Each structure stands twice: as structure tokens, then as C-alpha cells.
């Protein structure tokens, strides 16, 4: 298979490469940007050959993701990927197990009519 494109992406992202200029709607350039971030290049070493508002769009560190998604990379894709995964807290056990609540017999004193009828019978 033709691997020229993949090799070019690796060369453009490698640590000796000081800067890279790509095109804005190119998935090739987007992947080079992601690889450069994985290698530890600063965001200000990647530029787009585009009008001024989009030229330095990767230098924006906000995580506001908006469509279309394929034309650029967000720092969310490479920030904190080497950190250990978060540990989920242990679940809090209920004070009374649910199965015991169903097994409790009804207390007749809590039903006023029944309590009054029982008192009337006892008299």
C-alpha cells in the first residue's frame, strides 16, 4: 500500500521539525497537529495557511468545541492523556437495606381507624 502520506505526517510531526503550516479544512493537517501535540510541540509552532482569523486557531486553548469537527484539533484530544485514570468513589451503602423495608409488618398503631376500632372492641 501507499504509505507516503503517513510517513509525511510522521516527519512533519517529529521533534526536529520546528514549525508546520497546514491547510484549514485538511484532515492531513489536523492529524499532524495532533501528532505534534503528542510529541510535545507548543501550539504556537503550528499555523494554518488561511485568512488571519483562522491562521492561529490552534493557539486558542479554550475547550469550546464547535462543528465542523474534522477541520481542526482541540487541546482536549491530548491534554492529560498520560495522567492515570480517575478512581471512582466507593458507592455509599443505604442506611437500611431495601429488602428489609419490604419485610417489615405494618404497625397497627399507625393506622388511627384500626387502633380506634381495636380499642372499642377491647372495651
Amino acid at each position: 500500500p501507499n504509505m507516503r502520506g503517513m510517513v509525511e505526517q510522521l516527519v512533519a510531526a517529529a521533534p526536529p521539525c520546528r514549525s508546520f503550516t497546514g491547510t484549514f479544512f485538511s484532515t492531513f493537517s489536523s492529524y499532524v497537529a495532533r501528532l505534534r501535540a503528542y510529541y510535545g510541540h507548543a501550539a504556537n509552532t503550528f499555523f494554518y495557511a488561511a485568512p488571519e482569523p483562522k491562521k492561529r486557531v490552534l493557539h486558542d486553548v479554550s475547550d469550546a468545541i464547535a462543528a465542523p469537527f474534522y477541520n481542526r484539533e482541540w487541546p482536549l484530544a491530548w491534554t492529560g492523556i498520560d495522567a492515570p485514570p480517575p478512581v471512582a468513589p466507593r458507592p455509599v451503602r443505604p442506611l437500611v437495606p431495601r429488602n428489609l423495608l419490604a419485610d417489615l409488618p405494618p404497625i397497627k398503631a399507625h393506622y388511627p381507624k384500626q387502633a380506634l376500632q381495636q380499642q372499642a372492641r377491647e372495651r
Side-chain angles (χ1 to χ4, degrees):
N2 186 358
M3 294 187 220
R4 184 178 296 167
M6 291 183 279
V7 171
E8 288 178 357
Q9 283 178 322
L10 292 174
V11 169
C17 184
R18 291 182 294 194
S19 67
F20 179 79
T21 302
T23 55
F24 190 67
F25 285 104
S26 167
T27 54
F28 177 89
S29 297
S30 291
Y31 194 64
V32 168
R34 184 181 292 192
L35 287 175
R36 290 179 66 78
Y38 290 158
Y39 280 126
H41 288 284
N44 62 1
T45 64
F46 184 91
F47 301 95
Y48 283 122
E52 194 58 39
K54 295 185 191 280
K55 187 172 188 173
R56 291 180 173 81
V57 73
L58 282 178
H59 304 181
D60 178 21
V61 292
S62 68
D63 286 334
I65 298 176
F69 304 111
Y70 67 91
N71 61 344
R72 65 162 284 196
E73 295 292 327
W74 284 270
L76 181 66
W78 59 81
T79 305
I81 61 172
D82 293 329
V87 178
R90 293 185 63 184
V92 178
R93 299 181 74 182
L95 296 176
V96 179
R98 291 182 183 184
N99 58 354
L100 291 180
L101 292 177
D103 296 339
L104 293 176
I107 300 172
K108 292 183 179 180
H110 287 210
Y111 302 104
K113 280 186 177 179
Q114 291 177 355
L116 290 174
Q117 289 172 354
Q118 188 175 2
Q119 286 176 1
R121 277 187 246 146
E122 291 174 359
R123 288 186 193 176

